[in-house]
Coordinates of all heavy atoms in Angstrom, one line a residue:
M1 N 157.0 167.0 165.3 CA 155.8 166.8 166.2 C 154.6 166.5 165.4 O 153.7 165.8 165.8 CB 155.7 168.1 167.0 CG 154.9 167.8 168.3 SD 155.0 169.2 169.3 CE 153.9 170.3 168.5
C2 N 154.5 167.1 164.1 CA 153.2 166.8 163.3 C 153.4 165.5 162.6 O 152.5 165.2 161.8 CB 153.0 168.0 162.4 SG 154.3 168.3 161.3
G3 N 154.5 164.8 162.7 CA 154.7 163.6 162.0 C 155.5 163.6 160.8 O 156.0 162.6 160.3
T4 N 155.8 164.8 160.3 CA 156.6 165.0 159.1 C 158.1 164.8 159.5 O 158.5 165.1 160.5 CB 156.5 166.5 158.6 OG1 155.1 166.7 158.3 CG2 157.3 166.6 157.3
R5 N 158.8 164.2 158.5 CA 160.3 164.0 158.8 C 161.1 164.9 157.9 O 162.3 165.0 158.0 CB 160.7 162.6 158.6 CG 160.0 161.7 159.7 CD 160.6 160.3 159.7 NE 159.7 159.5 160.6 CZ 159.9 159.5 161.9 NH1 160.8 160.2 162.5 NH2 159.1 158.8 162.6
A6 N 160.5 165.6 157.0 CA 161.2 166.5 156.1 C 161.3 167.9 156.7 O 160.3 168.4 157.2 CB 160.5 166.5 154.7
R7 N 162.5 168.5 156.5 CA 162.7 169.9 156.8 C 162.1 170.3 158.2 O 161.1 171.1 158.2 CB 162.1 170.8 155.7 CG 162.7 170.5 154.4 CD 162.7 171.7 153.5 NE 161.5 172.4 153.5 CZ 161.0 173.1 152.5 NH1 161.7 173.2 151.4 NH2 159.9 173.8 152.5
I8 N 162.7 169.8 159.2 CA 162.2 170.1 160.6 C 162.8 171.4 161.1 O 164.0 171.6 161.0 CB 162.5 168.9 161.5 CG1 161.9 167.6 161.0 CG2 162.1 169.2 162.9 CD1 160.4 167.6 160.9
D9 N 161.9 172.2 161.6 CA 162.4 173.5 162.2 C 162.3 173.4 163.7 O 161.3 172.8 164.2 CB 161.5 174.6 161.8 CG 161.9 175.2 160.4 OD1 162.8 174.7 159.8 OD2 161.2 176.1 160.0
P10 N 163.2 174.0 164.5 CA 162.9 174.2 165.9 C 162.0 175.4 166.1 O 162.4 176.5 165.7 CB 164.3 174.4 166.5 CG 165.2 174.8 165.3 CD 164.5 174.5 164.0
A11 N 160.9 175.2 166.6 CA 159.9 176.3 166.8 C 159.7 176.6 168.2 O 159.5 175.7 169.1 CB 158.5 175.8 166.2
H12 N 159.9 177.9 168.5 CA 159.7 178.3 169.9 C 158.2 178.4 170.3 O 157.4 179.0 169.6 CB 160.2 179.8 170.1 CG 161.7 179.8 170.6 ND1 162.7 179.6 169.7 CD2 162.2 179.8 171.8 CE1 163.8 179.7 170.4 NE2 163.6 179.8 171.7
L13 N 157.8 177.6 171.3 CA 156.4 177.7 171.8 C 156.2 179.0 172.3 O 155.1 179.6 172.1 CB 156.2 176.6 172.9 CG 156.1 175.2 172.4 CD1 155.9 174.3 173.6 CD2 155.0 175.0 171.4
V14 N 157.1 179.6 173.1 CA 157.0 180.9 173.6 C 158.1 181.7 172.9 O 159.3 181.5 173.1 CB 157.3 181.0 175.1 CG1 157.2 182.4 175.6 CG2 156.3 180.1 175.8
P15 N 157.7 182.7 172.0 CA 158.8 183.4 171.3 C 159.7 184.2 172.2 O 159.2 184.6 173.3 CB 158.0 184.4 170.4 CG 156.6 184.3 170.8 CD 156.4 183.1 171.7
R16 N 160.9 184.4 171.8 CA 161.8 185.2 172.7 C 161.3 186.5 173.1 O 161.5 187.0 174.2 CB 163.2 185.3 172.0 CG 164.1 184.2 172.6 CD 165.4 184.1 171.7 NE 165.0 183.3 170.5 CZ 165.8 182.7 169.7 NH1 167.1 182.8 170.0 NH2 165.4 182.1 168.6
G17 N 160.5 187.1 172.2 CA 159.9 188.4 172.5 C 159.0 188.4 173.7 O 158.7 189.4 174.3
L18 N 158.5 187.2 174.0 CA 157.5 187.1 175.1 C 158.2 186.4 176.3 O 157.5 185.9 177.2 CB 156.3 186.3 174.7 CG 155.3 187.1 173.7 CD1 154.2 186.2 173.3 CD2 154.8 188.4 174.3
G19 N 159.5 186.3 176.2 CA 160.2 185.7 177.4 C 160.7 184.3 177.2 O 161.2 183.7 178.1
G20 N 160.5 183.7 176.0 CA 160.9 182.4 175.7 C 162.4 182.2 175.8 O 163.2 183.2 175.6
C21 N 162.9 181.1 176.3 CA 164.3 180.8 176.5 C 164.8 179.8 175.6 O 164.1 179.3 174.7 CB 164.5 180.5 178.0 SG 163.7 178.9 178.5
E22 N 166.0 179.3 175.8 CA 166.7 178.3 175.0 C 166.6 176.9 175.6 O 167.2 176.0 175.1 CB 168.1 178.7 174.7 CG 168.3 180.0 174.0 CD 167.5 180.0 172.7 OE1 167.6 179.0 171.9 OE2 166.8 181.0 172.4
H23 N 165.8 176.8 176.6 CA 165.6 175.5 177.2 C 165.0 174.5 176.2 O 164.2 174.9 175.3 CB 164.7 175.6 178.4 CG 164.7 174.4 179.3 ND1 164.1 173.2 179.0 CD2 165.2 174.2 180.5 CE1 164.2 172.3 180.0 NE2 164.9 172.9 180.9
A24 N 165.4 173.2 176.3 CA 164.8 172.2 175.3 C 163.3 172.2 175.3 O 162.7 171.9 174.3 CB 165.4 170.9 175.6
L25 N 162.7 172.4 176.5 CA 161.2 172.3 176.6 C 160.6 173.6 176.0 O 159.3 173.6 175.8 CB 160.8 172.2 178.1 CG 161.1 170.9 178.7 CD1 160.8 170.9 180.2 CD2 160.4 169.7 178.1
C26 N 161.4 174.6 175.7 CA 160.8 175.8 175.1 C 160.6 175.7 173.6 O 160.0 176.5 172.9 CB 161.7 177.0 175.4 SG 160.8 178.4 176.1
V27 N 161.2 174.6 173.0 CA 161.3 174.5 171.6 C 160.7 173.1 171.2 O 160.9 172.1 171.9 CB 162.7 174.5 171.1 CG1 162.9 174.2 169.6 CG2 163.3 175.9 171.5
V28 N 159.9 173.1 170.1 CA 159.4 171.8 169.6 C 159.8 171.7 168.1 O 160.0 172.7 167.5 CB 157.8 171.7 169.8 CG1 157.4 171.6 171.2 CG2 157.1 172.8 169.0
A29 N 159.8 170.5 167.6 CA 160.1 170.3 166.2 C 158.9 170.3 165.4 O 157.9 169.6 165.6 CB 160.8 168.9 166.1
L30 N 158.9 171.2 164.5 CA 157.7 171.4 163.6 C 158.3 171.4 162.1 O 159.4 171.9 161.9 CB 157.0 172.7 163.8 CG 156.0 172.8 165.0 CD1 155.4 174.2 165.0 CD2 154.9 171.8 164.9
C31 N 157.5 171.0 161.2 CA 157.9 171.2 159.8 C 157.7 172.7 159.5 O 157.0 173.4 160.2 CB 157.0 170.3 158.9 SG 155.3 170.9 158.7
R32 N 158.3 173.1 158.4 CA 158.3 174.5 158.1 C 156.9 175.1 157.9 O 156.6 176.2 158.4 CB 159.2 174.7 156.8 CG 159.5 176.2 156.6 CD 160.9 176.3 156.0 NE 161.9 175.8 156.9 CZ 163.2 175.6 156.6 NH1 163.6 175.9 155.4 NH2 164.0 175.1 157.4
R33 N 156.1 174.3 157.3 CA 154.7 174.8 157.0 C 154.0 175.1 158.3 O 153.4 176.1 158.5 CB 154.0 173.7 156.2 CG 152.7 174.2 155.6 CD 152.2 173.2 154.6 NE 152.0 171.8 155.1 CZ 150.8 171.5 155.7 NH1 149.8 172.3 155.8 NH2 150.7 170.3 156.2
H34 N 154.1 174.1 159.3 CA 153.4 174.3 160.5 C 154.0 175.3 161.4 O 153.4 176.0 162.1 CB 153.3 172.9 161.3 CG 152.2 172.0 160.8 ND1 152.4 170.8 160.3 CD2 150.9 172.2 160.8 CE1 151.3 170.3 159.9 NE2 150.3 171.1 160.2
H35 N 155.4 175.4 161.3 CA 156.1 176.5 162.0 C 155.6 177.9 161.6 O 155.3 178.7 162.5 CB 157.6 176.3 161.8 CG 158.4 177.2 162.7 ND1 159.8 177.3 162.5 CD2 158.1 178.0 163.7 CE1 160.3 178.2 163.4 NE2 159.3 178.6 164.1
R36 N 155.5 178.1 160.3 CA 155.0 179.4 159.8 C 153.6 179.7 160.3 O 153.3 180.8 160.7 CB 155.1 179.5 158.3 CG 156.5 179.6 157.8 CD 156.6 180.6 156.6 NE 157.9 180.4 156.0 CZ 158.1 179.6 155.0 NH1 157.1 178.9 154.5 NH2 159.3 179.5 154.4
A37 N 152.8 178.7 160.1 CA 151.4 178.8 160.5 C 151.3 179.1 162.0 O 150.5 180.0 162.4 CB 150.6 177.6 160.2
Y38 N 152.1 178.5 162.8 CA 152.0 178.7 164.3 C 152.5 180.1 164.6 O 151.9 180.8 165.4 CB 152.9 177.7 165.0 CG 153.0 177.9 166.5 CD1 151.8 177.8 167.3 CD2 154.1 178.3 167.1 CE1 151.8 178.1 168.6 CE2 154.2 178.5 168.5 CZ 153.0 178.4 169.2 OH 153.0 178.7 170.6
D39 N 153.6 180.5 163.9 CA 154.1 181.9 164.2 C 153.2 183.0 163.7 O 153.2 184.1 164.3 CB 155.5 182.1 163.5 CG 156.6 181.4 164.3 OD1 156.4 180.9 165.4 OD2 157.7 181.3 163.7
R40 N 152.3 182.7 162.8 CA 151.3 183.6 162.4 C 150.1 183.6 163.2 O 149.1 184.4 163.0 CB 150.9 183.4 160.9 CG 151.9 183.8 159.9 CD 151.2 184.0 158.5 NE 150.3 182.9 158.2 CZ 150.6 181.8 157.6 NH1 151.9 181.7 157.1 NH2 149.8 180.8 157.3
G41 N 150.0 182.6 164.1 CA 148.8 182.5 165.0 C 147.7 181.8 164.2 O 146.5 181.9 164.6
C42 N 148.0 181.0 163.2 CA 147.0 180.3 162.4 C 147.0 178.8 162.7 O 146.4 178.0 162.0 CB 147.3 180.5 160.9 SG 147.2 182.2 160.5
L43 N 147.7 178.3 163.7 CA 147.7 176.9 164.0 C 147.4 176.7 165.5 O 148.0 177.3 166.3 CB 149.1 176.4 163.6 CG 149.3 174.9 164.0 CD1 148.5 174.0 163.1 CD2 150.8 174.5 163.8
D44 N 146.5 175.8 165.7 CA 146.2 175.4 167.1 C 147.1 174.2 167.4 O 146.9 173.1 166.9 CB 144.7 175.0 167.2 CG 144.4 174.6 168.7 OD1 145.3 174.5 169.5 OD2 143.2 174.3 168.9
L45 N 148.1 174.4 168.3 CA 149.1 173.4 168.6 C 148.6 172.4 169.7 O 149.2 171.4 169.9 CB 150.4 174.0 169.1 CG 151.5 174.2 168.0 CD1 152.8 174.7 168.7 CD2 151.8 173.0 167.2
V46 N 147.6 172.8 170.4 CA 147.2 172.0 171.6 C 146.9 170.5 171.2 O 147.4 169.7 172.0 CB 146.0 172.7 172.3 CG1 145.4 171.8 173.4 CG2 146.4 174.0 172.9
P47 N 146.2 170.2 170.1 CA 146.0 168.8 169.8 C 147.3 168.1 169.6 O 147.4 166.9 169.8 CB 145.1 168.9 168.5 CG 144.5 170.2 168.5 CD 145.5 171.1 169.2
F48 N 148.4 168.8 169.1 CA 149.6 168.1 168.9 C 150.4 167.9 170.2 O 151.2 167.0 170.4 CB 150.5 169.0 168.0 CG 150.0 169.1 166.6 CD1 149.4 170.2 166.1 CD2 150.2 168.0 165.7 CE1 148.9 170.3 164.8 CE2 149.8 168.1 164.4 CZ 149.1 169.3 163.9
L49 N 150.2 168.8 171.2 CA 150.9 168.8 172.4 C 150.3 167.9 173.4 O 151.0 167.3 174.3 CB 150.9 170.2 173.0 CG 151.8 171.2 172.3 CD1 151.4 172.7 172.7 CD2 153.3 171.0 172.5
E50 N 149.0 167.7 173.4 CA 148.3 166.9 174.3 C 148.1 165.5 173.8 O 147.5 165.4 172.7 CB 147.0 167.6 174.7 CG 146.1 166.8 175.6 CD 146.6 166.7 177.0 OE1 147.5 167.5 177.4 OE2 146.2 165.8 177.7
P51 N 148.4 164.4 174.5 CA 149.0 164.4 175.9 C 150.5 164.2 175.9 O 151.0 164.1 177.0 CB 148.3 163.2 176.4 CG 148.2 162.2 175.3 CD 148.1 163.0 174.0
R52 N 151.2 164.1 174.8 CA 152.6 163.6 174.9 C 153.6 164.7 175.2 O 154.7 164.4 175.5 CB 153.0 162.9 173.6 CG 152.4 161.5 173.5 CD 152.5 160.9 172.1 NE 153.9 161.0 171.6 CZ 154.2 161.5 170.3 NH1 153.2 161.8 169.5 NH2 155.4 161.6 169.9
H53 N 153.2 165.9 175.1 CA 154.1 167.0 175.3 C 153.7 167.9 176.5 O 153.8 169.1 176.4 CB 154.3 167.8 174.0 CG 154.9 167.0 172.9 ND1 156.3 166.8 172.8 CD2 154.3 166.3 171.9 CE1 156.5 166.0 171.7 NE2 155.3 165.7 171.2
R54 N 153.2 167.3 177.5 CA 152.7 168.1 178.7 C 153.9 168.9 179.4 O 153.7 169.9 179.9 CB 152.0 167.2 179.7 CG 150.6 166.9 179.2 CD 149.9 166.0 180.2 NE 148.6 165.7 179.6 CZ 147.8 164.7 180.1 NH1 148.2 164.0 181.1 NH2 146.7 164.4 179.5
A55 N 155.1 168.3 179.3 CA 156.2 169.0 179.9 C 156.5 170.3 179.2 O 156.7 171.3 179.9 CB 157.5 168.1 179.9
E56 N 156.3 170.3 177.9 CA 156.5 171.6 177.1 C 155.4 172.6 177.4 O 155.6 173.8 177.5 CB 156.5 171.3 175.6 CG 157.8 170.6 175.1 CD 157.7 169.1 175.2 OE1 156.9 168.5 176.0 OE2 158.5 168.4 174.5
V57 N 154.2 172.0 177.6 CA 153.0 172.9 177.9 C 153.3 173.5 179.3 O 153.1 174.7 179.5 CB 151.7 172.1 177.9 CG1 150.6 173.0 178.4 CG2 151.4 171.6 176.5
A58 N 153.7 172.7 180.3 CA 154.0 173.2 181.6 C 155.1 174.3 181.6 O 155.0 175.3 182.3 CB 154.4 172.1 182.5
H59 N 156.1 174.1 180.7 CA 157.1 175.1 180.6 C 156.6 176.4 180.1 O 156.9 177.5 180.6 CB 158.2 174.5 179.7 CG 159.4 175.4 179.6 ND1 160.5 175.3 180.4 CD2 159.7 176.5 178.8 CE1 161.4 176.2 180.1 NE2 160.9 177.0 179.2
A60 N 155.7 176.3 179.1 CA 155.1 177.5 178.5 C 154.3 178.2 179.5 O 154.3 179.5 179.6 CB 154.3 177.2 177.2
V61 N 153.6 177.5 180.3 CA 152.7 178.0 181.4 C 153.6 178.8 182.4 O 153.3 179.9 182.9 CB 151.9 177.0 182.1 CG1 151.2 177.5 183.4 CG2 150.8 176.4 181.2
G62 N 154.8 178.3 182.6 CA 155.8 178.9 183.5 C 156.2 180.3 183.0 O 156.4 181.2 183.7
H63 N 156.2 180.5 181.7 CA 156.5 181.8 181.0 C 155.3 182.7 181.0 O 155.5 183.9 181.3 CB 157.0 181.6 179.6 CG 158.5 181.2 179.5 ND1 159.5 181.9 179.9 CD2 159.0 180.0 178.9 CE1 160.6 181.3 179.7 NE2 160.4 180.2 179.1
L64 N 154.2 182.2 180.6 CA 153.1 183.1 180.2 C 151.9 183.0 181.1 O 150.9 183.7 181.0 CB 152.6 182.7 178.8 CG 153.6 182.8 177.7 CD1 153.0 182.2 176.4 CD2 154.0 184.2 177.5
G65 N 151.9 182.1 182.1 CA 150.7 181.8 182.9 C 149.8 180.9 182.1 O 149.9 180.7 180.9
L66 N 148.8 180.4 182.8 CA 147.9 179.4 182.2 C 147.1 180.0 181.0 O 147.1 179.4 179.9 CB 147.0 178.8 183.2 CG 146.0 177.7 182.7 CD1 146.8 176.5 182.0 CD2 145.2 177.2 183.8
I67 N 146.5 181.1 181.2 CA 145.7 181.7 180.2 C 146.5 182.2 179.0 O 146.2 181.9 177.8 CB 144.9 182.9 180.8 CG1 144.1 182.5 182.0 CG2 144.0 183.6 179.7 CD1 143.0 181.5 181.7
G68 N 147.6 182.8 179.3 CA 148.5 183.3 178.2 C 149.1 182.1 177.4 O 149.1 182.2 176.2
A69 N 149.5 181.1 178.1 CA 150.0 179.9 177.4 C 149.0 179.3 176.5 O 149.2 178.9 175.3 CB 150.6 178.9 178.4
L70 N 147.8 179.1 177.0 CA 146.7 178.5 176.3 C 146.4 179.3 175.0 O 146.2 178.8 173.9 CB 145.4 178.3 177.1 CG 145.2 177.0 177.8 CD1 143.8 177.0 178.5 CD2 145.2 175.9 176.7
R71 N 146.3 180.6 175.2 CA 146.0 181.5 174.1 C 147.1 181.4 173.0 O 146.8 181.2 171.8 CB 145.9 182.9 174.6 CG 145.2 183.9 173.7 CD 145.2 185.2 174.4 NE 144.2 185.4 175.4 CZ 144.3 186.1 176.5 NH1 145.4 186.7 176.8 NH2 143.3 186.2 177.3
R72 N 148.3 181.4 173.5 CA 149.4 181.3 172.5 C 149.4 179.9 171.8 O 149.5 179.9 170.6 CB 150.7 181.4 173.3 CG 152.0 181.5 172.5 CD 152.2 182.9 172.1 NE 152.9 183.0 170.8 CZ 153.1 184.1 170.1 NH1 152.5 185.2 170.5 NH2 153.8 184.1 169.0
L73 N 149.3 178.9 172.6 CA 149.5 177.5 172.0 C 148.3 177.2 171.1 O 148.4 176.4 170.1 CB 149.6 176.5 173.1 CG 150.8 176.6 174.0 CD1 150.8 175.6 175.1 CD2 152.1 176.5 173.2
S74 N 147.1 177.7 171.4 CA 146.0 177.4 170.6 C 145.8 178.3 169.4 O 144.9 178.1 168.5 CB 144.7 177.5 171.4 OG 144.5 178.9 171.8
G75 N 146.7 179.3 169.2 CA 146.7 180.2 168.1 C 145.6 181.3 168.2 O 145.4 182.1 167.3
R76 N 145.0 181.4 169.4 CA 144.0 182.4 169.6 C 144.7 183.6 170.2 O 144.7 183.8 171.4 CB 142.8 181.9 170.5 CG 141.7 181.3 169.7 CD 140.7 180.6 170.6 NE 140.8 179.2 170.6 CZ 140.8 178.4 171.6 NH1 140.6 178.9 172.8 NH2 141.0 177.1 171.5
R77 N 145.3 184.4 169.4 CA 146.0 185.6 169.9 C 145.2 186.8 170.1 O 144.2 187.0 169.4 CB 147.1 186.0 168.8 CG 148.0 184.9 168.4 CD 149.1 184.6 169.3 NE 149.6 183.2 169.1 CZ 150.5 182.9 168.1 NH1 150.9 183.9 167.4 NH2 150.9 181.7 167.9
E78 N 145.6 187.6 171.0 CA 145.1 188.9 171.1 C 145.7 189.8 170.1 O 146.9 189.5 169.7 CB 145.4 189.5 172.5 CG 145.0 188.7 173.7 CD 143.6 189.0 174.1 OE1 143.4 190.1 174.6 OE2 142.6 188.2 173.8
A79 N 145.1 190.8 169.6 CA 145.7 191.7 168.7 C 147.0 192.3 169.2 O 147.9 192.6 168.5 CB 144.7 192.9 168.3
S80 N 147.0 192.5 170.6 CA 148.2 193.1 171.2 C 149.4 192.2 171.2 O 150.5 192.7 171.3 CB 147.8 193.6 172.6 OG 147.4 192.4 173.4
D81 N 149.2 190.9 171.2 CA 150.5 190.1 171.3 C 150.8 189.5 169.9 O 150.7 188.3 169.7 CB 150.6 189.2 172.5 CG 149.5 188.1 172.6 OD1 149.3 187.3 171.7 OD2 148.9 188.1 173.6
T82 N 151.4 190.3 169.1 CA 151.7 189.9 167.8 C 153.2 189.4 167.7 O 153.6 188.9 166.7 CB 151.6 191.1 166.8 OG1 152.2 192.2 167.4 CG2 150.2 191.4 166.6
A83 N 153.9 189.6 168.8 CA 155.3 189.1 168.8 C 155.3 187.6 168.6 O 156.1 187.0 168.1 CB 156.0 189.4 170.1
Ligands
LIG1 ZN1 161.5 178.7 178.3
LIG2 ZN1 153.8 169.8 159.9

């Protein structure tokens, strides 16, 4: 998704701990570096997702609601959702 072709990881947009599922729309391809950054909450994925991955965003909204999904995808986590 970030344009890298080396060492692609399947990254859960919504982690399983927060209800993420195994649906194809729940997972995006990220390089390892971006995957780690996203999992740590240090990467804003929204610019990568918009506008070509709206189906994935909609799927994440289905899991977390609009506010929760935006917070998650933008890397702006609450201290309480460290999963
Ligand atoms: Zn899902
Ligand atoms: Zn990358």
Side-chain angles (χ1 to χ4, degrees):
M1 205 168 74
C2 60
T4 304
R5 293 190 189 280
R7 299 208 319 205
I8 300 301
D9 277 359
H12 268 84
L13 285 181
V14 180
R16 259 164 287 199
L18 292 179
C21 64
E22 296 306 315
H23 195 286
L25 290 176
C26 233
V27 175
V28 295
L30 282 181
C31 72
R32 192 141 303 167
R33 190 166 62 85
H34 278 119
H35 188 187
R36 286 221 195 89
Y38 178 64
D39 283 350
R40 282 201 317 269
C42 300
L43 174 67
D44 183 354
L45 267 186
V46 173
F48 294 101
L49 290 162
E50 177 66 24
R52 280 168 51 226
H53 296 277
R54 284 182 184 163
E56 287 88 339
V57 173
H59 185 93
V61 169
H63 279 300
L64 300 173
L66 181 57
I67 303 298
L70 262 184
R71 196 179 280 145
R72 187 85 206 168
L73 299 175
S74 68
R76 270 174 255 134
R77 308 281 161 81
E78 304 272 288
S80 61
D81 57 58
T82 48

